[in-house]
Amino acid sequence: MSVFRRFVQVGRVVIIEAGSDKGKLASIVEIVNQRTIQIEGPVTGVARQTIKISECSLTDIVVKTTRNARTKTLRAAWERDGIVEQWESSSWGRTRAGRVTKRELNDFGRFKVMLAKKRANRIIGREVSRLVKA
């Protein structure tokens, strides 16, 4: 039984963690050597480029494609498999989207979140005290 579940393989979808494309999804197109891969994100706007494996995170999603697939072929595979939808429905994708939403809040948005938290905590506190008394 293997400990690892995500392997560096052609078609594996990755999240870029460094550089100008940070946070974008891309697919492994070619494995150059043990430390370097060639990636492309035809739907997310990532141009074909070579990056270090340490600059990206492997996801559970794999696209059925061949080595060195053309951009057109890769785009068709992404749309056929619904890669962006799979990512948005995964817990990792939802967590990252929530962080982005929270980061982009303005002062009034943060104020509304604070009030909502206070309201929820007040309701929870009342219910807990009612249950403790009973």
Side-chain angles (χ1 to χ4, degrees):
M1 182 167 66
S2 177
V3 177
F4 302 106
R5 295 179 305 131
R6 299 177 185 151
F7 299 104
V8 177
Q9 67 190 76
V10 173
R12 174 75 62 182
V13 177
V14 298
I15 304 171
I16 302 170
E17 300 290 356
S20 60
D21 291 324
K22 182 176 182 177
K24 293 184 180 179
L25 292 177
S27 197
I28 297 176
V29 179
E30 177 68 49
I31 300 168
V32 179
N33 57 35
Q34 285 186 334
R35 296 185 182 146
T36 313
I37 54 174
Q38 190 175 38
I39 60 166
E40 183 176 13
V43 177
T44 57
V46 178
R48 191 171 289 225
Q49 58 188 303
T50 304
I51 66 168
K52 294 182 216 166
I53 294 175
S54 61
E55 294 176 351
C56 63
S57 297
L58 302 174
T59 66
D60 290 331
I61 307 168
V62 180
V63 180
K64 299 280 188 206
T65 186
T66 59
R67 283 182 51 212
N68 278 329
R70 295 182 337 175
T71 303
K72 186 177 176 182
T73 309
L74 196 58
R75 178 184 301 275
W78 269 55
E79 291 171 355
R80 180 189 67 233
D81 294 346
I83 300 301
V84 176
E85 292 79 18
Q86 283 183 44
W87 171 251
E88 290 171 350
S89 65
S90 70
S91 61
W92 193 359
R94 288 193 309 269
T95 302
R96 287 181 73 103
R99 285 185 195 153
V100 169
T101 303
K102 186 174 181 181
R103 192 179 319 124
E104 291 175 350
L105 285 176
N106 60 9
D107 187 46
F108 186 60
R110 289 188 296 273
F111 175 73
K112 290 193 293 187
V113 168
M114 180 197 67
L115 290 181
K117 284 183 178 179
K118 286 172 85 171
R119 206 173 304 122
N121 288 334
R122 191 175 307 122
I123 291 169
I124 291 169
R126 285 180 187 157
E127 194 64 25
V128 167
S129 65
R130 186 183 67 81
L131 291 172
V132 167
K133 289 178 184 177

